[in-house]
Amino acid sequence: MARRGGYAKGIAKREEILSTALDVIARHGYRGASVKEIADAVGLSQAGLLHHFGSKEDLFVEVLRKRDEHDTAVALTAFAERGITGALDAFVGVMRANADVPGLVLLYSALAVEAADPDHAAHAYFRDRREIFRAALAGGIRQMQDDGALDAHLDPDTLATAIHALADGLQVHMLIEPGLDMAGVIQHVVGALRPEPRHDEGGRA
Amino acid sequence: MARRGGYAKGIAKREEILSTALDVIARHGYRGASVKEIADAVGLSQAGLLHHFGSKEDLFVEVLRKRDEHDTAVALTAFAERGITGALDAFVGVMRANADVPGLVLLYSALAVEAADPDHAAHAYFRDRREIFRAALAGGIRQMQDDGALDAHLDPDTLATAIHALADGLQVHMLIEPGLDMAGVIQHVVGALRPEPRHDEGGRA
DNA sequence: CGCGAATACCGTACGCCATTCGGTTTCTGA
DNA sequence: TCAGAAACCGAATGGCGTACGGTATTCGCG
């Protein structure tokens, strides 16, 4: 487990480790991002690194958790300022932004799969996150249906599940086809689910 | 590389290894499916196992490749017998069937992510497969649009990309939520993309 | 200011992993 | 039937994540 409390030096080092880990993943791939490699990059021994985060898994989960905090803050602000449509735009915008952070998509996808193991540190993270995200998404869908911005025949829960899965699936595919315009694909599909007058927004693979 | 040629004994052993590997993954998880574990399960030493498949990665890719052969055969037969709608049904049916093979979804998802590394044995497999699958899917979509079974405003390539990503994303999510009805979700979404008279098929998460 | 407990960090060692190598046994078609 | 190919093994190698015991540094509190 990550050590609690912390001197100024430790807190700073922890931050440095979190961002350096992403760099190392981006440069060496997920397989090449060993504890030794990350430790070298921040100028620590392996044991020194593991002092800050109890395990490699914990470190990686922490990277995602921190990114989540930032992302949800962005989405909530957009919702407060521009309502549900703003939140949807923010969601797509966040995806677009995260896609440009090298290593992040790779880390997210890798952990999402490893988290299948109930003993994995990321298991609880993904389970909880999935539930929260889907509930929020389903709520937004319902609201858009009330506003007439989305086909009323659709089941909000099923559609929320689908959109979340679509987003995660696109990230996996992006690993093999880096040019993939994830946000564009999502916009195209969501745009197709409007009730009558189809907007026809772009987005090619 | 997998040894070529082969005596009867070797061919039989190879088949046994392929199916046993899935069992071990199902029982011990992807992490627990070490070469030693699989070798023990088939009654071989680690070196003995690696004699049949040059590496662990090669072995796993072979499992997927074999499953693909079966699946595409099913889809092609359905297409020949019942046209494009039959092929779509077959696709959903194959997903449903594979979801019931313990270990298969796990192996597929894990390799899909590992394949991000260009040096990984599965990289070429997923790259090629992705291209073939999307082209076939886009062709089917175009045909369904001509038949009036699908909204004509949709871009076939983008939609094909989306459906493929949706299918893969659902598999990842299924690892954490085993009860997830992947096929149902896909049917619901595709059903929603019909032109005018919405069918409203079920499918809850 | 200075003391001592908490924190930061390191060297070493352990067990597991995939893979390699050189060797022995078993198979089979010519 | 017999040579060469294939099947298989034991042991060794290098890399991995991590546990442990120890030392050096930090900094709130008296």
Side-chain angles (χ1 to χ4, degrees), chain A residues 6 25 27 32 34 66 76 80 111 116 146 155 158 164 187 193 202:
Chain A
I25 292 173
R27 244 196 323 274
S34 62
K66 197 183 151 197
L76 286 178
L111 278 195
D146 291 346
D155 176 57
T158 304
H164 191 192
Q187 279 182 321
L193 294 175

Side-chain angles (χ1 to χ4, degrees), chain A residues 16 26 33 56 58 68 73 97 107 144 149-150 162 175 179 189:
Chain A
E16 190 190 343
K56 190 192 179 191
D58 287 337
D68 266 359
L107 175 62
M144 289 181 74
L150 216 54
L175 299 176
V189 171

Side-chain angles (χ1 to χ4, degrees), chain B residues 20-76:
Chain B
T20 303
L22 272 181
D23 287 352
V24 174
I25 291 173
R27 242 197 322 273
H28 296 72
Y30 186 71
R31 288 199 290 183
S34 63
V35 171
K36 171 177 165 43
E37 214 69 41
I38 300 173
D40 286 351
V42 291
L44 284 180
S45 70
Q46 298 181 226
L49 205 178
L50 268 313
H51 160 79
H52 292 286
F53 306 89
S55 72
K56 191 193 179 190
E57 293 177 1
D58 286 337
L59 161 59
F60 283 165
V61 171
E62 213 55 43
V63 174
L64 292 189
R65 228 184 269 278
K66 198 183 151 198
R67 178 64 53 159
D68 265 359
E69 280 173 28
H70 172 262
D71 290 352
T72 55
V74 168
L76 286 178

Side-chain angles (χ1 to χ4, degrees), chain A residues 122-136:
Chain A
H123 185 77
Y125 166 77
F126 276 100
R127 187 170 30 74
D128 298 346
R129 186 178 182 276
R130 182 178 151 73
E131 213 160 317
I132 292 169
F133 187 79
R134 180 167 47 182

Side-chain angles (χ1 to χ4, degrees), chain B residues 183-194:
Chain B
V185 173
I186 289 188
Q187 279 182 320
H188 186 76
V189 171
V190 172
L193 295 174
R194 273 194 256 269

Side-chain angles (χ1 to χ4, degrees), chain A residues 1-176:
Chain A
M1 322 118 194
R3 291 298 198 285
R4 333 231 86 248
Y7 299 156
K9 193 184 182 190
I11 293 173
K13 203 67 183 177
R14 250 189 300 269
E15 288 300 311
E16 190 190 343
I17 293 171
L18 288 176
S19 69
T20 304
L22 272 182
D23 287 352
V24 174
I25 292 173
R27 244 196 323 274
H28 296 72
Y30 187 71
R31 286 199 291 183
S34 62
V35 171
K36 172 178 165 42
E37 214 68 41
I38 300 173
D40 286 352
V42 289
L44 285 181
S45 70
Q46 298 182 228
L49 205 178
L50 267 313
H51 160 78
H52 292 286
F53 306 88
S55 72
K56 190 192 179 191
E57 292 176 2
D58 287 337
L59 161 59
F60 283 165
V61 171
E62 213 55 41
V63 174
L64 292 189
R65 227 183 269 279
K66 197 183 151 197
R67 178 65 53 159
D68 266 359
E69 281 173 28
H70 172 263
D71 290 353
T72 54
V74 168
L76 286 178
T77 304
F79 176 71
E81 291 175 356
R82 295 176 288 126
I84 188 62
T85 319
L88 182 65
D89 288 348
F91 165 62
V92 174
V94 163
M95 270 203 86
R96 214 184 284 277
N98 284 346
D100 286 336
V101 179
L104 189 60
V105 174
L106 185 48
L107 175 62
Y108 176 85
S109 301
L111 278 195
V113 171
E114 287 185 8
D117 185 341
D119 293 338
H120 196 284
H123 185 77
Y125 166 77
F126 276 100
R127 187 170 30 74
D128 298 346
R129 186 178 182 276
R130 182 178 151 73
E131 213 160 317
I132 292 169
F133 187 79
R134 180 167 47 182
L137 203 52
I141 289 168
R142 252 181 281 269
Q143 195 166 332
M144 289 181 74
Q145 286 176 326
D146 291 346
D147 296 352
L150 216 54
D151 193 317
H153 297 292
L154 294 162
D155 176 57
D157 283 326
T158 304
L159 185 57
T161 300
I163 291 179
H164 191 192
L166 173 58
D168 286 4
L170 283 170
Q171 301 208 60
V172 174
H173 281 209
M174 198 195 170
L175 299 176
I176 288 184

Side-chain angles (χ1 to χ4, degrees), chain B residues 84-205:
Chain B
I84 187 62
T85 320
L88 182 66
D89 288 348
F91 165 61
V92 173
V94 162
M95 271 203 85
R96 214 185 285 278
N98 285 347
D100 286 336
V101 179
L104 189 59
V105 175
L106 185 49
L107 175 63
Y108 177 84
S109 301
L111 278 196
V113 172
E114 288 185 7
D117 185 341
D119 293 337
H120 196 285
H123 184 78
Y125 166 77
F126 276 100
R127 187 170 28 75
D128 297 348
R129 186 178 182 276
R130 180 178 152 73
E131 213 160 317
I132 292 169
F133 187 78
R134 181 168 46 180
L137 204 52
I141 288 168
R142 254 181 281 269
Q143 195 166 332
M144 288 181 74
Q145 285 176 325
D146 292 346
D147 297 355
L150 217 53
D151 193 316
H153 298 291
L154 294 161
D155 176 57
D157 283 326
T158 304
L159 185 57
T161 299
I163 290 179
H164 191 190
L166 173 59
D168 286 3
L170 283 169
Q171 300 207 59
V172 174
H173 282 211
M174 197 195 171
L175 299 176
I176 288 185
E177 187 179 323
L180 183 61
D181 177 19
M182 302 194 295
V185 173
I186 289 188
Q187 279 182 320
H188 186 76
V189 171
V190 172
L193 295 174
R194 273 194 256 269
E196 288 306 293
R198 316 260 180 196
H199 249 244
D200 236 309
E201 301 197 39
R204 278 209 140 236

Side-chain angles (χ1 to χ4, degrees), chain A residues 169-201:
Chain A
L170 283 170
Q171 301 208 60
V172 174
H173 281 209
M174 198 195 170
L175 299 176
I176 288 184
E177 187 179 324
L180 183 59
D181 176 20
M182 302 193 295
V185 173
I186 289 188
Q187 279 182 321
H188 187 74
V189 171
V190 172
L193 294 175
R194 275 194 255 267
E196 289 304 294
R198 314 262 178 194
H199 249 245
D200 235 309
E201 302 196 41

